[in-house]
Amino acid sequence: MLDRHLGPKALLVVVVFAFVLAWGLSRLITGGKDDPPASTSTDVTATATPCVKVADPFGAPPDTFTYEKVSEKTRASTVKALNLDEAGGKVEMRAAQRTGLTLGTLVRVPSDDPGAYETQLVDTAKRGGAPIQQGKGYSVLPLQGGSVVAVGVRGCSTILISAQDPKAVPFLADAVFAG
């Protein structure tokens, strides 16, 4: 459905965005090396906080919007591009739409410890010196080219939100993480 509304060129931009985000963050974590940095004695190991499942992992869409499922092809290509592990459950993807136009996309990554994935993304951006904006229950991380992505935890899932217009990301994130 997303590929029908966005068109092949815009869909490619979404998939490339997902790939670049995953690749860029992994390169920031490892300092551009293939092996992750060695731990030091000052590293703190966090204990996983049990998550609480929610009935609607994406929450209620903003007024006059709907969250529509994307095609399996689009979902699968996003999972592959982000190098996501579906051991914790199937990754879901929705298009935030209004009158048939897609404002942005939401990706749900289920996990027993969704905060770990969120923390990894935010900490990587911080180590890279990126200016991170905090919202209520989420962080907005800048990407190359002026794009941004919101990341937060809802229930037992990490939610990633992207949009072609950077101003749309916090708008959607406010709705997703409000409840």
Side-chain angles (χ1 to χ4, degrees), residues 41-129:
S41 60
T42 60
D43 288 345
V44 177
T45 303
T47 303
T49 303
C51 63
V52 178
K53 294 187 181 194
V54 294
D56 186 359
F58 294 108
D63 191 31
T64 70
F65 280 82
T66 59
Y67 294 152
E68 301 294 332
K69 283 187 177 183
V70 300
S71 70
E72 178 57 25
K73 181 179 176 181
T74 300
R75 188 203 73 81
S77 65
T78 301
V79 168
K80 184 177 179 180
L82 288 174
N83 196 28
L84 297 173
D85 180 3
E86 293 189 286
K90 186 174 181 177
V91 171
E92 293 179 59
M93 189 170 172
R94 299 286 188 269
Q97 295 183 339
R98 181 177 180 192
T99 62
L101 298 174
T102 299
L103 177 66
T105 56
L106 312 164
V107 177
R108 174 184 172 258
V109 183
S111 170
D112 288 336
D113 188 8
Y117 184 56
E118 174 196 27
T119 299
Q120 177 186 9
L121 294 176
V122 172
D123 287 351
T124 299
K126 285 180 181 177
R127 281 193 300 274

Side-chain angles (χ1 to χ4, degrees), residues 101-162:
L101 298 174
T102 299
L103 177 66
T105 56
L106 312 164
V107 177
R108 174 184 172 258
V109 183
S111 170
D112 288 336
D113 188 8
Y117 184 56
E118 174 196 27
T119 299
Q120 177 186 9
L121 294 176
V122 172
D123 287 351
T124 299
K126 285 180 181 177
R127 281 193 300 274
I132 298 171
Q133 297 174 341
Q134 295 296 316
K136 189 174 181 179
Y138 65 91
S139 300
V140 178
L141 312 176
L143 304 173
Q144 284 185 321
S147 297
V148 297
V149 63
V151 59
V153 172
R154 182 167 166 86
C156 293
S157 303
T158 304
I159 307 289
L160 302 169
I161 302 170
S162 64

